[in-house]
Amino acid sequence: MGNNVYSYVNALLDHAEANHLAEKADRIYYTNRLLELLQLDSFEEAPAAEGLSLQTVLDRLCDCAAEAGLIEDGVTDRDLFDTRIMGIFTPLPSAVASTFEALYASSPETATDFFYALSRNTNYIRTERVAKDLRWKYHGKYGELDITVNLSKPEKDPKAIAAAKNAKQSSYPQCQLCPENVGYHGRADHPARQNLRTIPLTVAGEAWHLQYSPYVYYNEHCILLKEIHSPMQITHETFARLLDFVGQFPHYFIGSNADLPIVGGSILTHDHFQGGRYTFAMEKASSRKTFALQDYPDVRVEWLHWPLSVLRLTGEKERVYALACHILDAWRTYSDPASMVIAEDENGKHNTVTPIARREGEAYQLDLVLRNNITTPAHPMGLYHPHGEKHHIKKENIGLIEVMGLAVLPARLKAELKELEERHLQSLPLDTEGTEKHAAWWAEILSRREVTPENISSVLEEEVGKVFEAVLEDAGVYSPDSEGEAGISRFVSSL
């Protein structure tokens, strides 16, 4: 492996000690654990490699392992190996939970600060990969939207795909959100999780687990997952869980994807929520109309100025919960053909909500985003789904995170928009595989904007943001205009 391996081992040990993952008194023990993993029989003193990030140190150790034939030099094997390395330094689940509980007694914020730092320092949150994502702000009709091009999730390499296909199939863990992932060694078709820790919580009288997303889309992006593997459903219990969670962690918001295809998230098989410490554009949206409900005079009800149809409820916890249950029950069966709201047809039930909870001072706030997943001949992928003319930018479902105003756009856009920019500046047609899909869109932009070498990058960012804004409008059941106001007023009147 060469003598450099010892420098990288020492650099990793220094990181562990500096971030309270290892005590100096245990350095020999951890050295020997690493030697075992690297299949080295002895250790040679060498100065620690300096000026390297944690991920760079892990990459160098993976290089050494690949050179020695311990792993294949591909993304999947390297991820399995560097996670195994960090698993050596990750405290036992019981120790993490105990520390969290002790800190929580001081303050919930102190407890989550500890847990978030641990998840970063053990490389469960792959900070350097997340930093590769393209990010910018779009200032549009509804405030400041967050635009991201997701580059942090690595694509599978061909060898890993072949290995997964030929490997013995396993149903353990049952899915990537099951608690059984904690400490799991991973395989070609399932990520390693030796450095994953979760915090057991009781939420609305049930067993749940708190963890962070390894590919954080925003600050302290956490996941609350049910201990039992059961499918996602939006029910009265959903609202009880969300409100209970923000009662326990008032500095976090939490929300759920909808529970129907087209308008739901990518994982509907395991009940889970997503939260964190971030202020999205939707949270800052102004009120377009307020409603006074006779049976709920103590709950403030607002229809937000937002591209999707959001009813915001603010008040005491029990009253917000009661009204949310009433709205859900009513919406599930509500039809209004004049507004293209069809509750049920031969294809099944169509109405659901995307709920988001947070605290507003001492009050509880619950946003109910009205969703509907009907399809039409003109929009076979969904009437309230990104429409076809926008699929060159975004064709995936509009889930919880995007509902709140953060675009998660496909990685292909980085190369495609770069190629578009280069071909435009060279006066070449957009007729390649990567640019042809954008040709009509770009021609329309050029018909109304002056594009120069100096501003083309900013023009592209702004126009992509404008498409995302329009995509959110596609997903809105009631448009934010007078016609939409009449439609949502009819629904609220029915309550």
Side-chain angles (χ1 to χ4, degrees), residues 177-188:
L177 293 181
C178 286
E180 288 79 12
N181 282 278
V182 173
Y184 187 64
H185 63 81
R187 53 184 191 265

Side-chain angles (χ1 to χ4, degrees), residues 208-241:
W208 290 72
H209 291 254
L210 180 68
Q211 67 171 75
Y212 288 101
S213 168
Y215 300 108
V216 291
Y217 289 131
Y218 50 84
N219 187 47
E220 298 183 42
H221 179 181
C222 66
I223 302 171
L224 184 68
L225 53 96
K226 197 171 187 179
E227 184 167 284
I228 299 171
H229 181 88
S230 59
M232 287 190 65
Q233 289 182 304
I234 301 295
T235 65
H236 295 183
E237 287 72 24
T238 303
F239 304 144
R241 295 159 183 160

Side-chain angles (χ1 to χ4, degrees), residues 148-163:
T148 71
V149 176
N150 181 22
L151 305 173
S152 54
K153 288 187 179 180
E155 296 184 7
K156 295 280 188 182
D157 55 83
K159 288 184 178 180
I161 294 172

Side-chain angles (χ1 to χ4, degrees), residues 198-358:
T198 67
I199 303 299
L201 296 176
T202 300
V203 179
E206 301 171 314
W208 290 72
H209 291 254
L210 180 68
Q211 67 171 75
Y212 288 101
S213 168
Y215 300 108
V216 291
Y217 289 131
Y218 50 84
N219 187 47
E220 298 183 42
H221 179 181
C222 66
I223 302 171
L224 184 68
L225 53 96
K226 197 171 187 179
E227 184 167 284
I228 299 171
H229 181 88
S230 59
M232 287 190 65
Q233 289 182 304
I234 301 295
T235 65
H236 295 183
E237 287 72 24
T238 303
F239 304 144
R241 295 159 183 160
L242 297 178
L243 293 168
D244 188 16
F245 180 85
V246 296
Q248 296 184 49
F249 299 93
H251 59 298
Y252 275 7
F253 80 88
I254 193 163
S256 173
N257 271 303
D259 56 352
L260 293 178
I262 298 176
V263 296
S266 57
I267 301 177
L268 297 177
T269 56
H270 192 124
D271 209 355
H272 70 286
F273 308 127
Q274 296 181 77
R277 182 160 24 179
Y278 188 72
T279 302
F280 291 87
M282 193 181 84
E283 183 177 343
K284 296 183 283 187
S286 60
S287 173
R288 187 176 177 91
K289 183 179 177 67
T290 58
F291 297 98
L293 298 185
Q294 183 177 351
D295 293 338
Y296 301 90
D298 49 347
V299 180
R300 187 169 77 244
V301 182
E302 303 166 277
W303 177 41
L304 299 187
H305 178 64
W306 191 246
L308 287 97
S309 308
V310 186
L311 289 175
R312 173 167 290 170
L313 318 180
T314 308
E316 293 182 357
K317 180 180 178 181
E318 293 76 13
R319 297 295 289 161
V320 167
Y321 168 76
L323 179 52
C325 294
H326 181 48
I327 291 173
L328 175 65
D329 292 344
W331 180 246
R332 287 287 195 191
T333 59
Y334 180 78
S335 290
D336 182 0
S339 293
M340 284 302 292
V341 176
I342 309 298
E344 187 172 0
D345 60 17
E346 66 277 7
N347 296 313
K349 297 180 179 181
H350 298 299
N351 288 351
T352 186
V353 299
T354 299
I356 303 105
R358 68 183 71 85

Side-chain angles (χ1 to χ4, degrees), residues 362-393:
E362 293 299 311
Y364 285 76
Q365 192 167 86
L366 189 62
D367 290 345
L368 298 180
V369 187
L370 305 179
R371 311 299 299 273
N372 180 285
N373 75 343
I374 62 169
T375 60
T376 67
H379 301 289
M381 293 183 68
L383 176 59
Y384 303 113
H385 178 83
H387 292 174
E389 72 276 8
K390 306 175 188 77
H391 286 182
H392 65 106
I393 297 294

